[in-house]
Amino acid sequence: MKILLVEDDVGIAEPLAKGLEREGFEVIRAANGLDALEAPAADVVILDLRLPDIDGYEVCRRLRARSQVPIIMVSARGEEVDRVIGLELGADDYIVKPFGFRELVARIRAVTRRTGAPLEHRAVLRVADLELDRRSRRASRAGRELPLTPREFDLLALLMDEAGAALPRTRIMEEVWDSHWYGPSKTLDVHVASLRKKLGDPRWIETVRAVGFRLGSPNGG
């Protein structure tokens, strides 16, 4: 996946680019707004608001006018009005400096899931007799297709991507729903219950007390 990183501060841009490359992303760097607008097409744009030439909001507006590429705004300003302006101009997410690298990666994955942009993950996932194909958005168990809703599909994809790992509820909500989700987290439990039923065995999705959920394998495959 190609990421356009728009950041004029070399001290921030260089380590961030190296970290993203270690995660398997291809990074295109731009140090100002004009370079960002002339850069090759990317799958996700990480856009700093404070640029030396064009205001980041204006860059966002111009990018959105010609493309639906997911845009994550980055700013030291965390006031609600700044976030609202960014989102209204077409940004898909807004993260405030300083931020954790893992949080940024999680947000990249979240916007790509929500917008349907290409993911760096494997296209086809298999755990025992459970199979999921991201390209066709189909999942099956023992050769039988599962009638999943879009949310259930994304939830299962996340769990299969890190099968055996305990995923925190907050991360699941951010990646499958939205980092700006303000509804009750109980919706996650409802979807897990439905997914367990469709999988045919509740042991496929294990509850990890005080953490979240983990994909298991009832038949030990």
Side-chain angles (χ1 to χ4, degrees), residues 15-16 18-23 99-106:
L16 188 53
K18 289 179 181 178
L20 290 170
E21 287 168 352
R22 284 196 297 268
E23 290 291 318
F99 54 84
F101 178 72
R102 298 312 311 174
E103 179 186 3
L104 177 62
V105 172

Side-chain angles (χ1 to χ4, degrees), residues 5 7-17 29 97:
L5 174 60
E7 171 61 68
D8 66 313
D9 188 333
V10 177
I12 295 176
E14 284 191 354
L16 188 53
R29 285 176 54 185
K97 295 179 180 178

Side-chain angles (χ1 to χ4, degrees), residues 16-162:
L16 188 53
K18 289 179 181 178
L20 290 170
E21 287 168 352
R22 284 196 297 268
E23 290 291 318
F25 299 107
E26 179 182 342
V27 180
I28 304 167
R29 285 176 54 185
N32 57 60
L34 287 176
D35 286 348
L37 293 171
E38 296 174 358
D43 300 307
V44 176
V45 176
I46 299 174
L47 174 63
D48 186 54
L49 288 182
R50 193 170 184 177
L51 299 172
D53 53 355
I54 304 174
D55 181 83
Y57 289 125
E58 178 63 15
V59 175
C60 178
R61 188 188 67 78
R62 294 190 194 181
L63 285 174
R64 183 55 71 235
R66 71 189 193 198
S67 170
Q68 291 303 307
V69 62
I71 299 173
I72 300 176
M73 282 189 168
V74 179
S75 175
R77 298 177 296 191
E79 287 80 5
E80 183 179 5
V81 64
D82 296 314
R83 295 195 298 273
V84 170
I85 291 173
L87 296 171
E88 287 184 344
L89 285 173
D92 297 274
D93 203 351
Y94 189 109
I95 188 169
V96 179
K97 295 179 180 178
F99 54 84
F101 178 72
R102 298 312 311 174
E103 179 186 3
L104 177 62
V105 172
R107 287 174 182 257
I108 292 171
R109 290 173 175 161
V111 296
T112 52
R113 278 191 172 87
R114 297 199 303 272
T115 60
L119 289 170
E120 75 277 25
H121 304 299
R122 296 161 290 165
V124 178
L125 303 172
R126 295 183 182 88
V127 177
D129 60 357
L130 184 60
E131 182 175 305
L132 181 145
D133 189 329
R134 282 194 170 96
R135 295 164 299 189
S136 63
R137 288 190 67 82
R138 290 181 174 177
S140 62
R141 185 186 165 210
R144 179 179 63 85
E145 186 168 344
L146 303 173
L148 304 181
T149 66
R151 289 289 194 211
E152 290 169 350
F153 181 91
D154 291 341
L155 173 58
L156 182 59
L158 176 59
L159 291 169
M160 289 182 70
D161 231 0
E162 301 189 37

